[in-house]
């Protein structure tokens, strides 16, 4: 099995060809906008049927190459499925296939088909990109232009992955242990805003830094936007993307550490499925600040990063429902789970580290008293409940 990865490489573009790339991007955007109008008017979202409707008129109107028009049709259909509403395509990128580009490993260059014909550009890349592209023959790529006017090409390569297999099984066979039983080796991960991620082994990554970073930039943006001057707009362009880049860097680091720990322990990762959590939270009366903080919560990005890193490393990832995982009393949690008929509710302690198992086992046997554990520790433990 393989895992597709995107490798971002900078192009060294001579000044003579910058206008040709911009002309191709503008033609590609115009083609996408024309195709989108026809698709909406005819209510046609099938790639083959839409191709028969728009191929010839779009080629005559834009002067694009044949495969560029085909990629524009696929771009429109793909975006229509991914987002609720498409407003307008901008001339910032061009989708490429195996017929419109070729990567040459020996010279570290790429040949791209523009409206003027095939042009070869040198790549300005480092050892990380070279290692990922070694021995690869990419068949899909995207040519992009940044706000600063630099040109990049994103190659899609297939990285071989290790088989994840089944969740490892362990057996507690201590002498005289009446509670000895077979269980799965799982690291539970609880997601949140105060602590971005907390594992059942007691490790956590605080969200205090990213929260203060977001609050500060929100105030700066509000202050600068109220001025409505040229210099304020220049400042906003300079500040744009900083918050997103920092959040992406942070999620990459957290996901990498989670996958590495799971691989070293030969354990699976159990993460709560927070799909549609914003819809439920936004229906409650809250302040404007709380709504902004909830809507800026990048839990799904962390889930995607963990998913593809775990796929490459051969670590199994399981997504479990988050119901009843934020209770502080283990006895109350177990009663709720058993009433709901969720399987595996008698194995809450197996997601916990060894020094926490004894007090939890005593409490589960007695069914009295309050839990000495913190709520986030119980959250992470309950992630392993539905596993067999």
């Amino acid at each position: 099995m393989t895992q597709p990865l995107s490798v971002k490489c900078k192009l060294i573009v001579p000044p003579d060809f910058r206008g040709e790339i911009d002309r191709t991007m503008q033609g590609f955007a115009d083609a996408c906008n024309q195709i989108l109008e026809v698709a909406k008017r005819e209510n046609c979202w099938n790639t083959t049927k839409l191709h028969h409707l728009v191929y010839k008129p779009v080629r005559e109107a834009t002067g694009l190459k044949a495969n560029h028009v085909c990629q524009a049709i696929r771009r429109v259909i793909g975006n229509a499925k991914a987002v609720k509403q498409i407003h307008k395509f901008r001339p910032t990128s061009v989708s490429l296939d195996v017929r419109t580009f070729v990567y040459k490993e020996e010279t570290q260059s790429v040949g791209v088909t523009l409206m003027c014909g095939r042009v070869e550009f040198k790549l300005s890349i480092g050892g990380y990109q070279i290692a990922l592209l070694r021995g690869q023959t990419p068949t899909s790529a995207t040519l992009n232009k940044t706000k600063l006017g630099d040109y990049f090409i994103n190659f899609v390569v297939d990285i071989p992955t290790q088989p994840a297999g089944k969740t490892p099984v362990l057996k507690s066979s201590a002498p005289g242990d009446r509670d000895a039983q077979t269980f799965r080796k799982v690291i539970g991960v609880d997601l949140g805003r105060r602590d971005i991620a907390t594992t059942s082994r007691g490790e956590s990554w605080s969200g205090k830094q990213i929260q203060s970073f977001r609050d500060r930039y929100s105030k700066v943006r509000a202050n600068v936007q109220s001025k409505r001057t040229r210099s304020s707009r220049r400042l906003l362009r300079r500040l744009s993307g900083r918050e997103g880049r920092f959040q992406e860097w942070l999620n990459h680091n957290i996901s990498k550490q989670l996958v590495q720990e799971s691989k070293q322990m030969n354990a699976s990762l159990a993460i709560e499925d927070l799909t549609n959590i914003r819809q439920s939270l936004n229906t409650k009366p809250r302040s404007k600040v709380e709504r902004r903080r909830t809507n800026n919560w990048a839990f799904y990005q962390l889930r995607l990063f963990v998913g593809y890193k775990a796929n490459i490393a051969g670590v199994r990832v399981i997504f479990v429902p988050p119901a009843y995982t934020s209770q502080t009393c283990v006895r109350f949690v177990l009663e709720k789970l058993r009433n709901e008929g969720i399987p595996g509710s008698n194995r809450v302690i197996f997601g916990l580290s060894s020094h926490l198992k004894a007090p939890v086992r005593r409490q589960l046997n007695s069914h009295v008293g309050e839990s000495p554990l913190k709520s986030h520790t119980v959250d992470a433990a309950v992630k392993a409940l539905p596993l067999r």
Side-chain angles (χ1 to χ4, degrees):
M1 297 179 64
T2 59
Q3 169 67 40
L5 283 183
S6 178
V7 184
K8 187 176 182 179
C9 304
K10 186 175 182 178
L11 294 180
I12 302 176
V13 181
D16 300 340
F17 290 104
R18 288 181 174 268
E20 291 297 333
I21 296 180
D22 293 341
R23 189 163 70 97
T24 304
M25 288 185 174
Q26 184 62 56
F28 189 82
D30 294 341
C32 290
N33 290 322
Q34 293 179 27
I35 295 168
L36 179 61
E37 291 179 3
V38 176
K40 288 181 177 179
R41 185 176 66 248
E42 302 294 336
N43 194 22
C44 178
W45 303 104
N46 180 273
T47 305
T48 304
K49 294 180 180 179
L50 188 60
H51 178 93
H52 292 301
L53 288 174
V54 302
Y55 176 75
K56 289 184 179 180
V58 169
R59 280 207 67 185
E60 294 173 357
T62 60
L64 287 174
K65 302 294 183 180
N67 285 283
H68 286 158
V69 177
C70 295
Q71 288 299 315
I73 296 172
R74 292 183 176 89
R75 169 77 68 88
V76 171
I77 297 297
N79 284 21
K81 294 179 179 178
V83 299
K84 294 182 179 179
Q85 184 178 4
I86 305 174
H87 297 283
K88 189 177 181 180
F89 289 92
R90 295 179 296 175
T92 56
S93 65
V94 177
S95 299
L96 306 173
D97 60 6
V98 69
R99 297 177 181 85
T100 52
F101 85 99
V102 59
Y103 167 68
K104 300 179 181 179
E105 184 178 356
E106 57 276 4
T107 59
Q108 290 302 329
S109 61
V110 59
V112 180
T113 300
L114 304 177
M115 293 180 69
C116 63
R118 179 65 65 92
V119 182
E120 186 170 335
F121 302 103
K122 289 287 186 179
L123 297 177
S124 177
I125 56 178
Y128 175 76
Q129 288 89 348
I130 293 175
L132 288 176
L133 291 171
R134 184 175 295 119
Q136 296 280 349
T137 305
T139 59
S140 177
T142 304
L143 180 62
N144 298 308
K145 182 180 180 181
T146 65
K147 294 180 180 179
L148 299 177
D150 297 324
Y151 297 94
F152 290 85
I153 185 168
N154 294 337
F155 297 108
V156 178
V157 298
D158 293 326
I159 305 298
T161 61
Q162 303 178 15
K166 297 182 179 180
T167 306
V169 179
L170 298 179
K171 187 173 183 180
S172 173
S173 56
D177 188 0
R178 291 179 298 178
D179 297 329
Q181 48 189 311
T182 301
F183 59 92
R184 302 287 185 182
K185 191 173 183 182
V186 178
I187 296 178
V189 181
D190 178 61
L191 306 179
R193 276 172 37 193
R194 180 173 299 178
D195 290 326
I196 300 176
T198 303
T199 68
S200 55
R201 293 174 54 82
E203 297 177 333
S204 64
W205 290 265
S206 175
K208 185 177 181 180
Q209 183 183 13
I210 183 63
Q211 192 63 69
S212 62
F213 192 89
R214 284 173 175 157
D215 292 343
R216 178 164 62 90
Y217 270 89
S218 177
K219 292 180 181 179
V220 170
R221 285 194 300 268
N223 186 26
V224 174
Q225 287 171 354
S226 64
K227 300 184 183 301
R228 304 182 68 178
T229 60
R230 284 187 180 179
S231 59
S232 66
R233 287 193 291 269
R234 286 197 299 268
L235 179 59
L236 288 174
R237 283 194 295 268
R238 185 165 61 85
L239 296 178
S240 65
R242 289 191 180 183
E243 182 180 330
R245 288 193 296 269
F246 180 67
Q247 177 67 78
E248 185 178 359
W249 173 83
L250 189 63
N251 282 338
H252 269 300
N253 281 272
I254 295 174
S255 60
K256 182 178 180 180
Q257 296 177 47
L258 287 173
V259 173
Q260 285 180 345
E261 181 182 4
S262 301
K263 188 172 180 60
Q264 291 173 0
M265 294 182 56
N266 191 26
S268 298
L269 277 173
I271 304 177
E272 57 185 342
D273 185 7
L274 298 179
T275 304
N276 298 327
I277 189 174
R278 289 193 182 96
Q279 283 78 350
S280 61
L281 291 177
N282 288 336
T283 57
K284 301 177 182 178
R286 294 179 302 151
S287 65
K288 184 177 179 181
V289 175
E290 283 301 312
R291 287 199 304 270
R292 174 180 57 79
R293 289 177 175 176
T294 301
N295 293 330
N296 287 341
W297 185 15
F299 64 90
Y300 187 70
Q301 185 187 66
L302 178 61
R303 168 176 168 171
L304 292 179
F305 290 171
V306 171
Y308 88 82
K309 286 180 171 62
N311 192 18
I312 294 176
V315 175
R316 189 185 179 197
V317 180
I318 306 107
F319 300 101
V320 298
Y324 308 121
T325 60
S326 296
Q327 309 294 339
T328 57
C329 177
V330 176
R331 178 174 59 86
F332 178 75
V333 173
L334 289 180
E335 290 177 358
K336 285 286 187 179
L337 292 172
R338 285 169 181 151
N339 291 337
E340 295 292 333
I342 297 179
S345 57
N346 60 337
R347 297 197 303 276
V348 66
I349 61 173
F350 299 137
L352 300 174
S353 53
S354 57
H355 68 283
L356 295 175
K357 288 182 180 179
V360 179
R361 182 182 288 113
R362 285 197 297 269
Q363 183 191 357
L364 295 180
N365 291 336
S366 61
H367 287 277
V368 293
E370 291 294 325
S371 171
L373 304 176
K374 295 182 179 179
S375 60
H376 69 263
T377 309
V378 179
D379 289 349
V382 178
K383 300 300 180 295
L385 289 181
L387 304 178
R388 286 290 186 184

